């Protein structure tokens, strides 16, 4: 409007399927144009009716063609003779990636949109001698039509105003382009120009040869590859690969709300996360654990003798710091949260995670970086059990369009590249079609990972896998390859998220061992596309094989019980051997770690009680916490109920546990 164009604003104002009608949407834009001195009128049309082909009705087909194809024909025909008489005309048809590549559920829309390209090609030929040029754009842009189905971060980063400068240039009398097809979005133009000069028609004109230079380019084979390229370019903003700061662009103007001086060091409200063994098991299934592998059972069965929580579960409690909207309360971080992308993740464990508990997380802004076309927020989250620090996460969050505020571009937290040699080990796992549906139950409810229609307009042929799910797959590959699935050996992991994965694809983790650091890179096996890069897992050195016995700080209540059992064995050992005839091992835990070991030998001689590691073979070994042991001994907790609740773990001859009462009650006489 401000450039002198007379604008017809088209919006039905109803829902995207054409139901209902309102003039509000179009009228609002008309008023905005008029307020800036432009000329504009409203028109009320534009719909989608997505259906799989077999379910597409005559009405679904006809309505889409009437609006998109016939509508363009009618408007162009009305202007055609005027253009011929004045020996000048510039026509831009709006096609779609759905028409160029096809898109599931959009046979009607795809056909109409590719029909527009055919119409434009003929008009370019017929109009040539009258100085009428006709070009076609296939924009990737967020609008009211696509906001309900396009992932919010794409919708926000692909606003129509970033496509408009190209349209304005193609409309200009100096532009001699004719019969062209331009698949266009902001990030491509901004990346191609690599100039600190703003997004204006003049910029497009001056950089035209560069914009149209596709030397060494690859052609997407389908709509999924097309949008994957777009997502990759967006992600390259953060890695400084040729995208300069652009403080004069429309996106960077919105960055006035980013103030590192105010934000860095600010604490978010403390968050609490309570969980049981169920969540640990659900998470393990979500990152691909399976009962078909015997060594996975320790993560899937609460009754297993070594039941453990996967180390990467440590990201789950920390998510609450962001999910609860805490970032929105931080001074100096005034931005649109729908523009947020997850760039990198670092997780460090200070002790093995308990299989149940209530944890608190304290988050603070560690740093804010200016990447030009976006901002990066480094969020530190420390997670505690009481006052004990369990784990530390750092989220690297990329905010599309929030750059240009004059901040520093790098932090001292640098990404480590993997060694330049053939991997020392490679492990591959196939994700299931339901992988994302399962993983989301651990707490990430974004419909991009479950709703096909939501994913489709983002350019994905099916919902995509969570980045932190691939993260879990890669971590457990390292744990299996280099730590024999011993969760206690896991120290930390760092990854950069590069490309999305589709459920059903195979994840291939390449590993390079350098001491206790395992460098990793994760790929989609079918395509070779790298999905996790600049990544590593640090492991603790392997122990000497003996269980860790902690100092008995404050003493153990169970000491008294075993002392009494020892006295009774001296008096009645032979009688107890006749009744029990078994060797019992006991592991008493405190704070999740082994605090004491006992062996009650009621199989040989007059019986014996040993403290500490036992060199012989036990018939049954029972692991229980000091507190729960006392509950069982005092009759407050039934041993069978304790077993099924996961509080009392038994390995070996489980039937012998029925004789616990004989040992603990009849002879300890507590």
């Amino acid at each position: 409007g401000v450039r002198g164009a007379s604008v017809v604003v088209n919006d039905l104002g109803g829902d995207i399927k054409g139901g209902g009608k309102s003039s509000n949407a179009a009228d609002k834009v008309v008023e905005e144009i008029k307020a800036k001195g432009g000329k504009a009128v409203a028109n009320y049309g534009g719909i989608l009716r997505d259906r799989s082909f077999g379910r597409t009705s005559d009405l679904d087909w006809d309505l889409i063609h009437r609006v998109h194809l016939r509508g363009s024909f009618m408007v162009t025909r009305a202007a055609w003779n005027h253009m011929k008489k004045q020996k000048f005309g510039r026509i831009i048809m709006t096609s779609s990636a759905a028409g160029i590549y096809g898109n599931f559920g959009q046979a009607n829309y795809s056909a109409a949109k590719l029909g527009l390209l055919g119409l434009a090609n003929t008009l370019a030929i017929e109009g040539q001698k009258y100085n009428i040029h006709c070009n076609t754009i296939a924009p990737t842009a967020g609008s009211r039509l696509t906001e309900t189905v396009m992932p919010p971060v794409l919708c926000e980063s692909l606003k129509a105003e970033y496509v408009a400068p190209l349209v304005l240039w193609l409309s200009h009398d100096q532009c001699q382009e004719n019969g062209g097809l331009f698949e266009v979005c902001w990030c491509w133009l901004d990346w191609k120009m690599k100039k600190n000069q703003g997004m204006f028609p003049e910029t497009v004109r001056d950089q035209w040869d560069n914009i149209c230079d596709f030397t060494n380019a690859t052609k997407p084979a389908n709509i999924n590859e097309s949008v994957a390229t777009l997502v990759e370019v967006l992600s390259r903003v953060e890695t400084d690969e040729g995208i300069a700061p652009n403080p004069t662009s429309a996106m960077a103007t919105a960055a006035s709300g980013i103030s590192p001086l105010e934000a860095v060091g600010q604490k978010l409200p403390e968050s609490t996360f309570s969980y049981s063994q169920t969540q640990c098991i659900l998470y393990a299934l979500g990152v691909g654990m399976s009962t078909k592998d015997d060594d996975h059972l320790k993560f899937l069965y609460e009754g297993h003798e070594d039941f453990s929580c996967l180390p990467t579960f440590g990201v789950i409690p920390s998510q609450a710091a962001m999910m609860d909207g805490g970032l929105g309360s931080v001074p100096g971080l005034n931005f649109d949260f729908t523009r947020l992308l997850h760039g990198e993740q670092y997780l460090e464990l200070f002790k093995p995670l308990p299989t149940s508990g209530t944890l608190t997380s304290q988050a603070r802004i560690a740093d804010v970086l200016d990447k030009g076309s976006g901002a990066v927020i480094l969020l530190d989250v420390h997670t505690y059990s009481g006052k004990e620090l369990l784990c530390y996460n750092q989220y690297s969050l990329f905010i599309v369009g929030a750059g240009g505020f004059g901040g520093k571009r790098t932090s001292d937290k640098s990404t480590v590249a993997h060694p330049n040699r053939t991997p020392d080990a490679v492990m591959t796992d196939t994700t299931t079609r339901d992988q994302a549906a399962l993983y989301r139950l651990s707490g990430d409810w974004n419909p991009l990972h479950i709703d096909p229609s939501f994913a489709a307009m983002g350019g994905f042929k099916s919902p995509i896998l969570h980045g932190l799910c691939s993260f879990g797959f890669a971590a457990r590959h390292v744990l299996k390859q280099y730590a024999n699935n011993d969760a206690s050996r896991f120290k930390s992991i760092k990854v950069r998220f590069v490309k999305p994965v589709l459920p059903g694809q195979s994840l291939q983790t390449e590993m390079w061992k350098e001491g206790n650091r395992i460098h990793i890179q994760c790929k989609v096996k079918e395509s070779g596309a790298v999905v996790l890069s600049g990544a590593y897992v640090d492991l603790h050195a392997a122990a000497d094989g003996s269980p860790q016995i902690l100092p008995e700080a404050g003493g153990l209540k169970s000491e008294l019980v075993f002392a009494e059992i020892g006295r009774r064995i001296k008096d009645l050992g032979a009688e107890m051997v006749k009744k029990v005839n078994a060797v019992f091992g006991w592991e008493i835990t405190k704070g999740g770690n082994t605090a004491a070991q006992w062996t009650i030998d009621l199989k040989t001689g007059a019986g014996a009680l040993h403290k500490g590691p036992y060199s012989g073979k036990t018939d049954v070994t029972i692991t229980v916490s000091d507190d729960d042991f006392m509950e069982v001994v005092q009759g407050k907790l039934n041993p069978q109920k304790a077993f099924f609740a996961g509080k009392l773990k038994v390995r070996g001859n489980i039937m012998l546990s029925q004789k616990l009462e004989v040992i603990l009650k009849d002879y300890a006489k507590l």
Side-chain angles (χ1 to χ4, degrees):
V2 295
R3 295 277 181 160
S6 298
V7 182
V8 177
V9 179
N10 178 47
D11 196 321
L12 176 69
D15 63 37
I16 65 170
K17 297 180 180 179
K21 184 174 181 179
S22 169
S23 64
N24 292 343
D27 290 346
K28 181 181 176 184
V29 179
V30 168
E31 291 308 313
E32 288 178 8
I33 294 171
K34 287 182 176 179
K36 293 183 178 180
K39 294 169 62 179
V41 295
N43 180 60
Y44 311 114
I47 60 169
L48 286 177
R49 283 201 166 214
D50 293 357
R51 296 276 192 280
S52 61
F53 184 67
R55 296 175 57 204
T56 301
S57 67
D58 288 356
L59 182 61
D60 293 331
W61 182 269
D62 292 341
L63 277 176
I64 290 297
H65 278 253
R66 281 174 57 193
V67 170
H68 292 282
L69 185 54
R70 191 167 187 269
S72 298
F73 158 68
M74 297 290 284
V75 171
T76 306
R77 186 176 65 177
W80 186 255
N81 286 333
H82 296 286
M83 291 178 171
K84 283 177 64 176
K85 287 177 184 177
Q86 67 187 21
K87 295 290 193 290
F88 170 76
R90 295 291 183 266
I91 301 168
I92 296 98
M93 296 291 182
T94 304
S95 185
S96 167
I100 300 169
Y101 303 108
N103 195 25
F104 185 89
Q106 292 192 313
N108 49 2
Y109 182 73
S110 299
K113 285 299 184 182
L114 198 59
L116 285 169
L117 177 61
L119 173 61
N121 289 342
T122 296
L123 294 182
I125 295 168
E126 291 187 10
Q128 182 76 43
K129 64 181 178 181
Y130 300 107
N131 191 27
I132 301 173
H133 296 172
C134 188
N135 293 285
T136 306
I137 61 168
T140 302
S143 67
R144 208 174 66 79
L145 189 64
T146 60
E147 67 184 0
T148 59
V149 287
M150 183 180 282
V153 66
L154 287 180
C155 202
E156 283 299 316
S157 63
L158 305 174
K159 287 187 174 179
E161 51 258 49
Y162 310 139
V163 176
L166 173 73
V167 175
L168 284 168
W169 169 238
L170 290 174
S171 303
H172 200 277
D173 57 5
Q174 293 178 12
C175 182
Q176 296 304 304
E177 196 71 33
N178 191 24
L181 169 62
F182 299 89
E183 191 176 359
V184 59
C185 69
W186 156 77
C187 63
W188 174 255
L189 289 175
D190 195 41
W191 178 57
K192 287 288 284 184
M193 291 187 288
K194 302 176 185 173
K195 299 287 183 181
N196 193 9
Q197 54 189 328
M199 281 295 296
F200 305 109
E202 292 82 0
T203 319
V204 176
R205 175 196 63 197
D206 296 342
Q207 291 288 322
W208 191 244
D209 289 343
N210 185 29
I211 290 170
C212 296
D213 180 7
F214 286 86
T215 306
N216 298 323
T218 57
K219 183 181 183 300
N222 52 49
I223 194 168
N224 185 44
E225 288 187 14
S226 173
V227 175
T229 302
L230 156 63
V231 172
E232 182 180 13
V233 173
L234 277 171
S235 70
R236 290 177 67 175
V237 172
E238 185 184 349
T239 61
D240 300 333
E241 293 181 28
I243 300 186
N246 194 4
T248 57
S249 75
M251 293 185 74
T253 305
S256 58
I258 300 289
S259 174
L261 288 176
E262 282 187 79
V264 174
Q266 290 283 346
K267 293 181 179 178
L268 279 63
E270 185 175 274
S271 61
T272 302
F273 180 82
S274 294
Y275 67 104
S276 69
Q277 57 202 24
T278 303
Q279 278 74 38
C280 296
I281 295 169
L282 190 60
Y283 174 82
L285 291 168
V287 296
M289 285 288 186
S290 169
T291 55
K292 69 185 178 186
D293 285 322
D294 291 341
D295 54 357
H296 287 185
L297 204 57
K298 63 189 288 188
F299 300 105
L300 299 175
Y301 173 41
E302 71 286 352
H304 192 279
E305 60 190 25
D306 295 318
F307 180 51
S308 304
C309 182
L310 267 177
T312 47
F313 182 77
V315 300
I316 303 299
S318 68
Q319 283 182 158
M322 289 185 301
M323 299 295 186
D324 294 345
L327 274 176
S329 66
V330 177
L333 293 184
N334 181 23
F335 61 87
D336 186 343
F337 282 82
T338 60
R339 296 182 179 185
L340 187 147
L341 286 170
H342 196 171
E344 297 182 359
Q345 183 76 20
Y346 176 77
L347 164 68
E348 182 172 358
L349 262 58
F350 300 104
K351 61 171 294 182
L353 296 169
T355 53
S356 63
T358 297
L359 310 180
T360 55
S361 291
Q362 297 174 1
R364 62 181 285 275
I365 307 299
D367 216 342
V368 178
L369 308 177
D370 185 353
K371 295 294 187 178
S373 295
V376 171
I377 296 171
L378 299 181
L379 181 70
D380 283 352
V381 187
H382 290 83
T383 300
Y384 299 83
S385 175
K387 292 184 178 180
E388 186 175 33
L389 178 61
L390 289 184
C391 64
Y392 159 67
N393 280 271
Q394 185 180 80
Y395 291 81
S396 175
L397 307 171
F398 184 69
I399 315 300
V400 177
F405 51 85
K408 60 181 182 177
R409 292 186 66 79
T410 59
S411 180
D412 55 6
K413 296 278 185 181
S414 58
T415 300
V416 180
H418 66 72
N420 186 23
R421 67 172 190 266
T422 304
D424 301 326
V426 178
M427 194 172 292
T428 305
D429 244 326
T430 302
T431 65
T432 70
R433 176 65 190 268
D434 298 317
Q435 204 72 59
L438 186 57
Y439 182 85
R440 68 191 298 268
L441 300 181
S442 286
D444 188 329
W445 304 98
N446 189 333
L448 177 62
H449 305 296
I450 189 70
D451 186 341
S453 64
F454 196 95
M457 283 303 291
F460 303 108
K461 61 184 179 184
S462 63
I464 64 173
L465 199 59
H466 307 67
L468 282 176
C469 183
S470 302
F471 168 93
F473 267 79
R476 65 177 185 76
H477 285 165
V478 173
L479 206 60
K480 181 170 184 176
Q481 180 71 31
Y482 290 109
N484 196 31
N485 274 331
D486 181 355
S488 68
R489 289 198 55 203
F490 183 94
K491 182 185 179 186
S492 61
I493 179 173
K494 169 74 178 289
V495 308
R496 170 184 288 272
F497 301 105
V498 182
K499 280 188 176 180
V501 176
L502 297 177
Q505 291 182 323
S506 300
L507 283 169
Q508 182 171 288
T509 304
E510 300 172 338
M511 296 169 259
W512 295 261
K513 188 178 189 302
E514 294 200 336
N516 288 322
R517 172 161 291 186
I518 315 299
H519 293 270
I520 57 175
Q521 178 173 268
C522 204
K523 296 178 177 177
V524 170
K525 184 180 179 183
E526 290 81 0
S527 66
V530 175
V531 295
L532 301 178
S533 71
Y536 64 83
V537 171
D538 283 345
L539 299 172
H540 294 296
D544 59 7
S546 59
Q548 180 188 14
I549 307 296
L550 297 181
E552 295 172 13
L556 297 171
K557 290 176 281 188
S558 54
E559 284 277 347
L560 298 172
V561 178
F562 284 105
E564 179 62 23
I565 289 173
R567 282 193 291 272
R568 293 296 170 180
I569 287 177
K570 285 182 181 178
D571 297 338
L572 304 163
E575 186 181 337
M576 292 171 73
V577 167
K578 288 179 184 176
K579 283 192 176 183
V580 178
N581 190 30
V583 178
F584 281 79
W586 290 86
E587 291 175 354
I588 305 298
T589 65
K590 193 169 185 178
N593 294 289
T594 302
Q597 289 178 296
W598 297 88
T599 307
I600 303 173
D601 183 353
L602 296 177
K603 199 169 191 175
T604 55
L609 175 71
H610 304 281
K611 185 177 181 182
Y614 183 62
S615 57
K617 185 178 184 304
T618 58
D619 294 298
V620 60
T621 299
I622 298 159
T623 303
V624 65
S625 75
D626 190 47
D627 289 340
D628 289 335
F629 178 84
M630 295 306 294
E631 294 275 300
V632 171
V633 168
Q634 294 170 36
K636 296 178 182 178
L637 178 62
N638 179 286
Q640 189 175 17
K641 287 184 178 178
F643 172 76
F644 285 115
K647 292 182 177 182
L648 188 149
K649 300 169 187 173
V650 182
R651 63 180 185 268
N653 185 349
I654 196 168
M655 299 308 292
L656 286 171
S657 60
Q658 295 176 3
K659 297 188 178 182
L660 285 178
E661 195 171 11
V662 174
I663 300 169
L664 297 179
K665 208 166 181 180
D666 293 358
Y667 291 98
K669 297 192 185 302
L670 292 173

